[in-house]
Amino acid sequence: DSGVTQTPKHLITATGQRVTLRCSPRSGDLSVYWYQQSLDQGLQFLIQYYNGEERAKGNILERFSAQQFPDLHSELNLSSLELGDSALYFCASSPQGSTNEKLFFGSGTQLSVL
Amino acid sequence: SQKIEQNSEALNIQEGKTATLTCNYTNYSPAYLQWYRQDPGRGPVFLLLIRENEKEKRKERLKVTFDTTLKQSLFHITASQPADSATYLCALTASGGSYIPTFGRGTSLIVHP
């Protein structure tokens, strides 16, 4: 058990809908990362937050947004969903904000857009 | 463009043998490289980190080498066991910038009893 909690484990929704994925980092970790994993793209970095502020941005679509709250949990919001958004979404945490030498991943949220 | 390449074909080996997985990269100036293990339906689990100025790192049955001239890292599991069967991902972090690990697509290892 990595100590990173993601909810829900599975999400089935329709095209055009909006969903929110939730992540609680390991106790004491200030950094949260979101990654998307699909069969054709592998594990792709979306966005990083450190202590409530956006630290780095990857290939995150404009339809997607994230935030980190004062209690350090994070939410990833996906809107106007398309079939191609179906993927495993992972949250990871680490104590550091800048060197990211070891990431602890949650078990992921499997999103299916029908 | 920057690329991280891992063999997409599964590696099948017999129990007790040494498994060797390869991670090649191009157009990176690496700060360090990480190896993760991922089981089906689970998140990646960190195994080892090796820095650009290190040649080799060991942890129990695991050994990682890093050759920045060849732009390659090798990941070895000695005395492999069926429980080692999983997908192994390498992740490269470039020096400068945001220090976000970029992952390869992983290689599946299957250890047969």
Side-chain angles (χ1 to χ4, degrees), chain B residues 6-113:
Chain B
Q6 294 185 258
N7 198 338
S8 57
E9 276 189 36
L11 177 63
N12 286 272
I13 65 166
Q14 286 298 125
E15 183 175 8
K17 300 293 186 185
T18 296
T20 299
L21 305 175
T22 304
C23 176
N24 294 304
Y25 62 92
T26 53
N27 295 322
Y28 271 98
S29 179
Y32 44 83
L33 186 146
Q34 304 162 4
W35 283 90
Y36 288 78
R37 168 184 172 141
Q38 187 174 21
D39 291 283
R42 308 299 300 269
V45 175
F46 173 84
L47 297 174
L48 280 169
L49 177 148
I50 187 164
R51 300 182 191 282
E52 55 87 23
N53 60 352
E54 296 176 319
K55 297 292 185 188
E56 183 178 298
K57 215 59 166 304
R58 290 176 187 258
K59 179 184 174 183
E60 296 169 357
R61 294 185 297 112
L62 309 180
K63 184 177 88 170
V64 173
T65 63
F66 198 9
D67 189 329
T68 54
T69 301
L70 287 179
K71 300 187 188 304
Q72 181 181 79
S73 175
L74 299 179
F75 177 78
H76 306 271
I77 305 175
T78 58
S80 58
Q81 304 162 1
D84 295 326
S85 299
T87 295
Y88 291 86
L89 307 170
C90 71
L92 199 61
T93 299
S95 56
S98 57
Y99 282 85
I100 298 296
T102 301
F103 285 80
R105 295 197 183 188
T107 298
S108 174
L109 172 66
I110 303 167
V111 182
H112 299 277

Side-chain angles (χ1 to χ4, degrees), chain A residues 19-66:
Chain A
V19 297
T20 297
L21 313 183
R22 184 188 166 102
C23 169
S24 294
R26 292 189 324 151
S27 177
D29 283 358
L30 299 178
S31 265
V32 168
Y33 314 75
W34 287 97
Y35 281 84
Q36 178 194 58
Q37 187 173 43
S38 59
L39 284 173
D40 58 339
Q41 292 289 328
L43 201 58
Q44 298 287 312
F45 169 68
L46 296 177
I47 198 163
Q48 177 201 6
Y49 278 82
Y50 177 75
N51 204 20
E53 298 207 355
E54 183 184 304
R55 176 63 66 95
K57 216 166 185 176
N59 299 322
I60 187 167
L61 299 172
E62 282 192 17
R63 300 183 286 109
F64 296 0
S65 64

